[in-house]
Amino acid sequence: MTSASLSSATRDVEKSGASIDPGAEEIEATHNSQIYSIDPAEERRVVRKLDTVIMPVMALVYLFQYIDKQAISQAAIFGLTTDLKLSGVEFSWAVSLFYVGQLVAEYPTMFLLSRLPVTSYVGISIVLWGAVNMAMGSVHNWHGLAAARFFLGFTEGAVSPAFIIITSLYYKRTEHPLRTATWLSMSGVSQIVGALMMYGIGHSNMSLAPWRAFFIIAGGLTAALGVLFVIVMPRDTKTAWFLTERERQIASQRLVMDRGTRDRKDFNIQQAKETFLTPTTWIYFLWALCLALTTPILKFNASVINGFGYNKFQTMLVGLPGGLVNFCTVWVGALVPRFFPNARTFTGMGLCLVPLTGAVLLIALPSEGYDWGIVVGTWMGACSAALVASAASIIASNVKGNTKKSVVSTGFFISFCVGCIVSPQAWTADQAPRYTKGCILSVVSLCVSMCGYVVYRILASRENKKRDAKLAAGQAEYSPEYIDPSVNTTGDGIDIDSDLTEIQDLGFRYIL
């Protein structure tokens, strides 16, 4: 499925769900005796334009990020490990070093995302990571591969945290799950596209080793996409070149009324301190760590399948349905909250059951006579993208303030990187092809993640009830429709340049 058809599907779902989500019908604010509203038809037209430009570009970037990230798994089956004479431990470290690079990149990313235009920073990062991926096709030993994997992770470090921010810069909170799913579901598509690319390259008659050609082709396409990203992506709603002046006003206003904030260039120390004093921040980090501990199966699934007797070409084809399963679970996670409001935490818990079942199958099924059961286990066990999408949409919707959102997003991916560095060490060659130790780690991590969803729902629900009680007691500033006269000088709701966090904005309510 292409990114263009994804954006079309997203718009169809939005249209069909218009009567379900009252927030999509009309946005209005009262200031003195005057009512300000946005025509629902105009708003839908603006959202349609955003979906046509923003979503396809983000989806393509994420598609190639995952193709590049997972390429080492497919390359291993097509001769990388033998050509470079890698031991099992060295290959595991090659997987881990990508995330060491991402981890090192997260601090400068956190700082720069709050100081530079997000889209420009991301675009330049894409070009650089494409160049590094091309360079991986020229390595001749473990040391070269290790360096290339480190710098690949370093250059890709900005994308995921920045995409959470970009989503919140253009879309309302009720729209976040579908939009987050649009780009995150590309991880499943990448499994299919990457495997087919490797399958085709493997059958070609080139003098270059197939795995080297794969890195060079994928890296070149990524670098070209980075140039496209810089050219096409606007900084925010006020600079969206594809919108008219009136449509830019609507795009900005609907975020104002949704109590959103814009991209800013200053780093707010108070917001940074507040981030680490907010209990839910640590739950976000816990989710990231637990999710990361389950991801090695995605990098080792080709090795698992190959280890049960399939040749390298069969391994590519047998793994294809896993990408479809991954893609579908991401969209289930996005659509359930759409039709069942305040069900995001319940959805996250339900999504944990899919990879949990896969890990249990890999642990429990006998080796003889259950080959396809084990293959299905690899398909289900690799469905981590839906969990990332669930957590990312919650962060995009429930964290406010430019600096705070940058710190939380970056901290989330720091935790994710730590888990990704540690977890491949449980998937060593002596554990092949079943990798029992790694599967047990996945089971424990998913159970802890489910407990995190329960605690998060309790904390967020309690805070919502406190604010509702104060509003009922007559404290008007706790109303979601409250307008501070000292801030709102234009009569259009909260100032578009407001940079309140969700703690400071008393009218804010957490989406559960």
Side-chain angles (χ1 to χ4, degrees):
M1 180 178 291
T2 66
S3 55
S5 61
L6 271 174
S7 64
S8 176
T10 301
R11 294 194 300 272
D12 290 342
V13 172
E14 289 288 355
K15 185 176 180 181
S16 65
S19 60
I20 298 172
D21 181 7
E25 288 293 328
E26 184 174 355
I27 307 171
E28 63 178 26
T30 304
H31 181 62
N32 298 328
S33 61
Q34 190 174 5
I35 293 180
Y36 300 85
S37 63
I38 297 175
D39 179 10
E42 286 189 294
E43 184 184 8
R44 284 193 292 270
R45 184 166 59 251
V46 169
V47 173
R48 185 163 55 249
K49 285 190 174 184
L50 292 173
D51 287 341
T52 302
V53 176
I54 303 298
M55 283 295 105
V57 176
M58 292 178 70
L60 279 172
V61 170
Y62 218 76
L63 170 65
F64 277 92
Q65 182 187 38
Y66 265 81
I67 287 175
D68 295 347
K69 188 184 297 186
Q70 297 168 13
I72 192 169
S73 173
Q74 293 144 350
I77 304 301
F78 279 81
L80 178 143
T81 53
T82 53
D83 289 353
L84 301 186
K85 298 180 175 59
L86 301 180
S87 67
V89 173
E90 286 175 334
F91 181 76
S92 292
W93 271 108
V95 174
S96 292
L97 281 168
F98 174 92
Y99 298 98
V100 174
Q102 275 202 341
L103 181 61
V104 173
E106 292 306 332
Y107 177 77
T109 293
M110 175 181 66
F111 182 75
L112 292 172
L113 282 177
S114 63
R115 301 285 297 219
L116 300 174
V118 174
T119 52
S120 299
Y121 180 60
V122 172
I124 294 170
S125 297
I126 296 169
V127 174
L128 292 176
W129 111 50
V132 173
N133 202 42
M134 293 177 69
M136 284 184 64
S138 65
V139 300
H140 291 281
N141 53 42
W142 151 247
H143 302 289
L145 179 65
R149 287 287 294 176
F150 173 86
F151 284 108
L152 185 67
F154 186 88
T155 52
E156 286 191 26
V159 174
S160 293
F163 271 25
I164 293 178
I165 296 171
I166 291 172
T167 301
S168 66
L169 290 178
Y170 293 100
Y171 294 100
K172 298 190 308 184
R173 293 189 296 150
T174 54
E175 297 164 351
H176 288 170
L178 290 180
R179 273 64 191 192
T180 303
T182 298
W183 49 269
L184 265 170
S185 63
M186 291 297 101
S187 63
V189 177
S190 72
Q191 291 175 249
I192 299 172
V193 175
L196 291 176
M197 286 176 64
M198 191 73 257
Y199 184 89
I201 293 171
H203 274 99
S204 64
N205 295 317
M206 292 188 292
S207 58
L208 199 62
W211 65 269
R212 294 185 186 277
F214 186 37
F215 283 132
I216 293 170
I217 293 170
L221 291 172
T222 298
L225 182 59
V227 175
L228 176 67
F229 190 93
V230 172
I231 295 171
V232 172
M233 285 292 286
R235 176 181 168 184
D236 55 28
T237 55
K238 287 192 171 183
T239 60
W241 55 267
F242 51 87
L243 299 179
T244 66
E245 184 59 35
R246 167 64 179 163
E247 288 169 342
R248 291 190 195 105
Q249 292 175 356
I250 293 172
S252 299
Q253 269 305 315
R254 61 193 224 98
L255 297 181
V256 169
M257 308 321 300
D258 196 47
R259 311 189 84 82
T261 54
R262 292 177 56 214
D263 184 22
R264 300 170 70 91
K265 292 186 178 180
D266 58 304
F267 187 86
N268 189 313
I269 296 296
Q270 292 305 314
Q271 286 192 18
K273 290 180 180 178
E274 180 187 299
T275 300
F276 295 106
L277 295 175
T278 306
T280 51
T281 296
W282 299 100
I283 297 179
Y284 300 141
F285 297 168
L286 176 67
W287 285 340
L289 178 63
C290 291
L291 297 181
L293 294 175
T294 71
T295 58
I297 192 170
L298 189 60
K299 292 93 175 177
F300 286 84
N301 65 342
S303 298
V304 173
I305 295 170
N306 185 245
F308 279 92
Y310 296 94
N311 67 38
K312 58 186 180 182
F313 293 107
Q314 290 172 331
T315 297
M316 293 298 100
L317 297 179
V318 168
L320 292 180
L324 181 61
V325 174
N326 204 347
F327 178 88
C328 291
T329 54
V330 171
W331 278 98
V332 168
L335 292 174
V336 170
R338 176 68 186 172
F339 294 98
F340 299 94
N342 279 326
R344 293 197 200 181
T345 49
F346 292 137
T347 303
M349 286 184 272
L351 291 172
C352 288
L353 296 176
V354 179
L356 180 62
T357 302
V360 170
L361 287 175
L362 289 174
I363 294 170
L365 286 179
S367 299
E368 299 295 329
Y370 290 88
D371 292 1
W372 276 103
I374 291 172
V375 168
V376 171
T378 65
W379 296 346
M380 298 179 70
C383 290
S384 57
L387 301 177
V388 177
S390 174
S393 70
I394 290 175
I395 292 172
S397 298
N398 286 347
V399 179
K400 284 190 61 184
N402 188 64
T403 298
K404 186 172 185 180
K405 193 181 289 284
S406 296
V407 174
V408 169
S409 298
T410 303
F412 179 89
F413 286 100
I414 286 176
S415 300
F416 190 82
C417 288
V418 170
C420 288
I421 292 168
V422 173
S423 55
Q425 308 314 311
W427 292 71
T428 51
D430 62 301
Q431 292 281 310
R434 190 176 291 275
Y435 298 99
T436 301
K437 189 191 302 182
C439 291
I440 292 173
L441 179 63
S442 294
V443 170
V444 174
S445 301
L446 289 163
C447 290
V448 172
S449 185
M450 292 172 73
C451 293
Y453 276 106
V454 172
V455 174
Y456 183 87
R457 187 174 184 90
I458 292 171
L459 292 176
S461 179
R462 184 181 298 167
E463 182 61 28
N464 284 350
K465 288 178 180 177
K466 285 182 181 179
R467 296 187 179 196
D468 288 342
K470 291 181 178 180
L471 175 61
Q475 298 184 46
E477 63 271 23
Y478 284 90
S479 170
E481 288 77 35
Y482 176 74
I483 303 167
D484 184 351
S486 66
V487 173
N488 179 52
T489 59
T490 62
D492 57 359
I494 297 176
D495 188 347
I496 188 64
D497 291 315
S498 169
D499 194 33
L500 297 177
T501 68
E502 77 278 7
I503 303 297
Q504 297 166 338
D505 182 2
L506 303 181
F508 182 87
R509 296 296 185 274
Y510 291 94
I511 293 179
L512 304 175

